[in-house]
Amino acid sequence: MRLLLFNTATKRLFTSCCFPADQAARAISMVHSPSTELRVAVLYQACDPPVVNGVRKPKKPGGYQDSGADIAYVLASRQDVRVISAERSPDPRRDEGWCFPDTESGIRAAIERGANILWANTILFASHPLQTSSALDKYTAEVRVVGQPPRFVEQYDDKNYVNDFLRKHGGFSMPRSWTLNSTSSLSLETLPYPIVAKPIRGRGSHGVKVCRNPPDLSAHLSALFKESPIAMLEEYLCGQEATVTVMPPSEDHPDYYALPLVVRFNHEDGIAPYNGVVAVTANSRVLTPHEEARNPRYQETSKECEDVARLLRVTAPIRIDVRQFTEATASKFAIFDVNMKPNMTGPGRPGRENQASLTAMAAGALGWDYSELLVRMLKSARKLQDLRQMDI
């Protein structure tokens, strides 16, 4: 049976034909019943990511404690959520003290302090304690997690794997790409310029550069190979850039749905700068409903991004970066980056007024403040045992 539903947030119809009724029922029952107190502990990145196929994903300085503190502080202001922090009375002006490390001992400490929801504001991987720790086995049926299946993240953080996976299934607009290592025989002179060179397991805009000619590319590849034995090249897209956050199924929505598009501008050498250097509020804005409705390409790429999330079976929000092939208004958008862990900074703590993330900005266009976005993410939390059982 095809179930027609009206998404009051995005003001459009969608069907649940790709999300069977039994799965929809499970999605609706994913969170605790209203009578169960939501006791949330946020995890930050303390574990070093593993080397996968010779490549290690760069670790973020501070381990996402900044956004973790934003999440914990804002949730703590709500009457319907109890936040369990690492320190008893953390200072809202400091990043530290709000979150638990994502080590086995840190996770156990959060649970033993009473947490029944773990917010995995960290980078996950197949050998992460959330996936492998036997000390957590007795909690997996009761504790829920806001985050992705760890084995999914390890695989999907490989940008080339995701590109090949999407091309294999077809129907997605994507730029041409190549992978190479220091011994590759690929002639740099034969490539189309300008061209983008970036790490195959990157973080934000780290190591991403538009190269204008073979010598420029050769020099940048030399720098990339010092960090990783493999690099990725991608056709440069010169049109408008946008980003699409796709929300996972929850008790409110039985299928994946995209938030309004956020367009990017004021690029530096063709690349959107890292948000730690330039706040996204300074170089991004949400499309108005009129703008989104006026150009069918916006609606088209939103649907493609929803299809990506559905195909990848993600269990938490993802952010997909897209860009038009050319500067023409009618040009198609191509998917060039799938981010399994969107930045989740948000306003609330003192001095954090301009720290809205791209996802928070998109949510604001629906009338959700940062607090409402976080609660909607809580509603998509899955049992830890379910995340452990999910595999590619």
Side-chain angles (χ1 to χ4, degrees), residues 39-228:
R39 302 185 300 276
V40 181
V42 182
L43 305 178
Y44 74 88
Q45 184 185 30
C47 294
D48 289 320
V51 175
V52 181
N53 297 326
V55 182
R56 187 192 300 274
K57 186 181 179 77
K59 188 175 180 180
K60 181 182 178 181
Y64 303 100
Q65 288 187 85
D66 56 345
S67 55
D70 293 340
I71 293 166
Y73 177 84
V74 171
L75 286 177
S77 68
R78 297 184 61 96
Q79 298 297 315
D80 53 350
V81 178
R82 181 156 72 91
V83 170
I84 297 170
S85 55
E87 295 179 4
R88 296 294 179 177
S89 299
D91 184 348
R93 293 173 178 80
R94 297 176 63 247
D95 297 340
E96 296 78 17
W98 290 93
C99 310
F100 292 83
D102 64 344
T103 58
E104 180 184 90
S105 60
I107 297 168
R108 287 186 64 185
I111 296 173
E112 289 168 1
R113 290 266 304 278
N116 55 22
I117 297 182
L118 301 173
W119 192 300
N121 190 46
T122 183
I123 299 300
L124 300 174
F125 41 86
S127 58
H128 192 278
L130 280 175
Q131 179 68 45
T132 62
S133 171
S134 59
L136 302 180
D137 289 351
K138 60 184 177 182
Y139 305 115
T140 59
E142 299 299 327
V143 171
R144 297 172 186 267
V145 177
V146 177
Q148 308 287 2
R151 286 187 286 224
F152 281 24
V153 179
E154 179 167 311
Q155 192 68 73
Y156 297 157
D157 269 347
D158 184 322
K159 299 179 185 301
N160 189 56
Y161 175 90
V162 172
N163 283 1
D164 287 347
F165 187 69
L166 297 181
R167 288 190 179 97
K168 174 183 175 182
H169 284 81
F172 298 105
S173 303
M174 305 181 69
R176 291 174 292 167
S177 66
W178 303 259
T179 57
L180 69 166
N181 56 38
S182 58
T183 62
S184 294
S185 59
L186 180 67
S187 172
L188 302 188
E189 284 74 15
T190 63
L191 293 168
Y193 290 91
I195 195 167
V196 178
K198 59 186 181 181
I200 203 164
R201 285 182 179 270
R203 177 182 58 79
S205 57
H206 173 79
V208 182
K209 181 181 178 182
V210 177
C211 300
R212 307 289 175 178
N213 50 56
D216 190 18
L217 175 58
S218 179
H220 186 56
L221 286 174
S222 295
L224 289 178
F225 291 146
K226 292 177 181 178
E227 299 183 5
S228 166

